[in-house]
Amino acid sequence: MRKDRRIHLAAHFPGADHTTVRADPRSGSQIDFSSFERLARTAERGLFDFLFLTENLRLREHEGRIHDLDVVGRPESLTVLSALAAVTEHLGLAATVDTTFNEPFELARRLATLDHLSGGRAAWNVVTSSDASTGGNFRRGGFLDHADRYTRAAEFVRTARELWDSWTPDGEPRPFAHRGRHFDIAGEFTVPRSPQGHPVVIQAGDFDEGREFAASTADVVFARHGTLEAGRAFYADVKRRMAKYGRRPDDLKIMSSVSVVLGDTAAEARGRAEEIRRQQVSPQTAILRLEQIRCVDLSAHDPDGPLPDIDPVPEPRLTQGRARRGDTVAIAEKWRALAQETGLSIRETVIEADGRQSFVGTPGSVAAELEAFVRQDAADGFVLVPHLVPGGLDEFVDRVVPVLQERGVFRTAYEGRTLRSHLGLPEPA
């Protein structure tokens, strides 16, 4: 690790997933502003780069039933982040906003407004939507073919950047005109250039199109890999692709989505981690996750019984909204091989195969492992996904951050005001 290279940290406020352990008495509301505020203040106390919010345009359904893991009543992300801008001073504020069911002018205006309100701390996690269930909430309905998702997203980001760049250095608006396959717009942008030039652009996606999009366009990319070797392979591949777009490797930060479980001893931490995963993956959740992968009805199977030897259906039939597409067959085969090799039950297979990268141990061992991932080019930093809201970051901030600081790999104070300065990213010319 270079002497000037430090670990980047961000926090994820969980949304539609099976991360949060809601049965824990310490688990609080996921829709009250007080929960967002507490997690944000903790992340800022820990000198994190940014807080990241997901966005769900429609609740997922399974066999006509609303997914019991989704958060009902979740407020819109950019509105929440605008409120958080008033109660934080340094923390970056990242919103997930879909490019399939939004338009460049309006979204660029909202993001630029957040950047002004926060003094240059806004970020946009660019996502696409490919399912008709979500499309049903919008006038045009339907959805984009997989091949068109990233072409529209790439043009969407280019268009937004053209709008952000349309003001002169003297603070005067200039007419803009964009003519493209997906967007044909012209006029004047109504918001001056923001404090950090452009909001930071974040992207996630492990498909080849996603990696190419990240290499060409993103400032930050979220990754999710279970091993050091997989992280290194992803890191090298994405960074290698950047040169053909005239970009340097340091122009993109790769941040791995992880969970952390601490204990005073390694054995205590492992015990806590096992209990958390069993709480996250209930018997009902295990069957649901397997049905999402196999895309067939498995409700008659015992979650504590063996994995059924049933071939997956290539396209989802049971679940609408954020179902995995394109990779379901490969994932199903991977899970089948794991179960055959280890003799795991359905529930045990889901617990073993479906978890994100986890760092489990004492504060010292976790800090050393995080440093090793960055030192060996498996990541530039980490997005922590707590299993409790709103207090799930407290232990990490209190016990691991000081160790990272003692090791000289994490800041002891914010050195700038904008999110780009936190991340070490250049301001757009």
Side-chain angles (χ1 to χ4, degrees):
M1 183 188 294
R2 299 192 312 263
K3 289 184 178 180
D4 61 342
R5 187 175 178 187
R6 294 179 178 176
I7 293 173
H8 294 282
L9 294 176
H12 175 201
F13 192 107
D17 52 30
H18 51 266
T19 297
T20 308
V21 177
R22 296 179 187 162
D24 191 301
R26 296 169 295 173
S27 180
S29 172
Q30 289 189 281
I31 62 175
D32 288 349
F33 180 71
S34 59
S35 292
F36 294 98
E37 181 179 8
R38 177 175 171 185
L39 197 72
R41 288 185 182 276
T42 303
E44 186 162 78
R45 178 166 62 85
L47 306 176
F48 281 37
D49 291 339
F50 60 90
L51 173 69
F52 157 57
L53 301 184
T54 55
E55 178 83 317
N56 304 305
L57 296 178
R58 181 163 180 155
L59 295 173
R60 293 174 294 178
E61 297 178 16
H62 184 71
E63 295 188 289
R65 301 187 304 272
I66 297 296
H67 198 310
D68 63 352
L69 298 176
D70 279 10
V71 178
V72 179
R74 182 72 172 263
E76 190 273 329
S77 295
L78 279 168
T79 306
V80 172
L81 294 176
S82 295
L84 289 177
V87 297
T88 55
E89 295 183 20
H90 299 279
L91 185 69
L93 305 167
T96 301
V97 189
D98 188 280
T99 59
T100 306
F101 300 112
N102 283 287
E103 296 298 325
F105 184 93
E106 176 59 19
L107 181 54
R109 187 170 68 102
R110 294 166 65 202
L111 287 163
T113 299
L114 176 61
D115 213 37
H116 279 284
L117 289 174
S118 63
R121 296 185 280 137
W124 170 25
N125 179 37
V126 179
V127 296
T128 65
S129 180
S130 64
D131 64 88
S133 174
T134 300
N137 275 350
F138 295 87
R139 183 174 60 186
R140 69 173 180 268
F143 60 95
L144 291 176
D145 289 336
H146 183 84
D148 292 330
R149 290 166 54 196
Y150 283 105
T151 59
R152 178 182 167 95
E155 186 178 343
F156 197 119
V157 175
R158 287 197 305 272
T159 307
R161 285 174 167 161
E162 291 169 13
L163 296 171
W164 293 328
D165 283 338
S166 65
W167 281 61
T168 70
D170 296 329
E172 296 294 332
R174 293 177 298 194
F176 71 84
H178 177 93
R179 303 282 186 265
R181 175 185 171 190
H182 295 279
F183 308 108
D184 185 351
I185 59 176
E188 287 188 355
F189 193 52
T190 57
V191 183
R193 188 171 175 85
S194 64
Q196 59 178 345
H198 298 169
V200 169
V201 171
I202 303 171
Q203 188 267 339
D206 201 22
F207 291 115
D208 187 72
E209 300 98 319
R211 295 185 183 206
E212 203 68 27
F213 182 78
S216 65
T217 303
D219 299 308
V220 176
V221 60
F222 291 155
R224 180 178 171 181
H225 300 288
T227 65
L228 175 68
E229 292 73 21
R232 293 188 67 190
F234 178 86
Y235 188 99
D237 181 49
V238 174
K239 297 274 187 172
R240 173 186 55 80
R241 298 174 187 233
M242 297 176 67
K244 62 185 174 185
Y245 299 105
R247 306 184 70 199
R248 304 170 304 162
D250 285 346
D251 291 343
L252 172 67
K253 305 301 179 185
I254 295 177
M255 301 186 68
S256 183
S257 177
V258 302
S259 63
V260 172
V261 180
L262 301 175
D264 292 332
T265 66
E268 179 187 343
R270 286 195 300 270
R272 290 183 65 188
E274 291 172 5
E275 178 61 24
I276 289 168
R277 282 299 288 152
R278 291 193 70 82
Q279 289 178 308
Q280 289 170 328
V281 184
S282 66
Q284 296 83 0
T285 298
I287 293 295
L288 170 64
R289 289 295 297 122
L290 190 61
E291 287 183 339
Q292 288 178 320
I293 298 302
R294 296 296 180 91
C295 306
V296 294
D297 184 357
L298 301 173
S299 57
H301 290 266
D302 180 3
D304 293 317
L307 200 73
D309 189 18
I310 300 173
D311 290 330
V313 175
E315 286 296 322
R317 293 178 180 175
L318 300 177
T319 300
Q320 293 182 306
R322 297 191 62 180
R324 292 179 184 267
R325 292 180 179 269
D327 60 351
T328 53
V329 174
I331 294 171
E333 290 304 316
K334 180 180 177 180
W335 286 20
R336 175 155 41 194
L338 174 65
Q340 290 175 345
E341 179 182 347
T342 59
L344 296 177
S345 68
I346 291 175
R347 187 181 181 194
E348 290 168 337
T349 299
V350 174
I351 290 173
E352 179 69 22
D354 204 31
R356 67 186 73 252
Q357 172 67 47
S358 297
F359 293 91
V360 178
T362 65
S365 68
V366 167
E369 201 171 0
L370 293 173
E371 181 183 351
F373 264 66
V374 175
R375 186 181 297 277
Q376 297 182 53
D377 289 337
D380 293 306
F382 306 92
V383 181
L384 271 67
V385 186
H387 71 278
L388 289 176
V389 170
L393 284 182
D394 293 358
E395 192 174 19
F396 183 91
V397 168
D398 292 335
R399 304 187 68 188
V400 179
V401 167
V403 180
L404 293 173
Q405 291 169 331
E406 290 172 4
R407 298 175 76 97
V409 295
F410 190 65
R411 64 171 65 95
T412 56
Y414 286 110
E415 297 168 3
R417 300 290 304 199
T418 70
L419 179 53
R420 288 187 177 277
S421 67
H422 302 342
L423 292 166
L425 295 171
E427 182 175 318

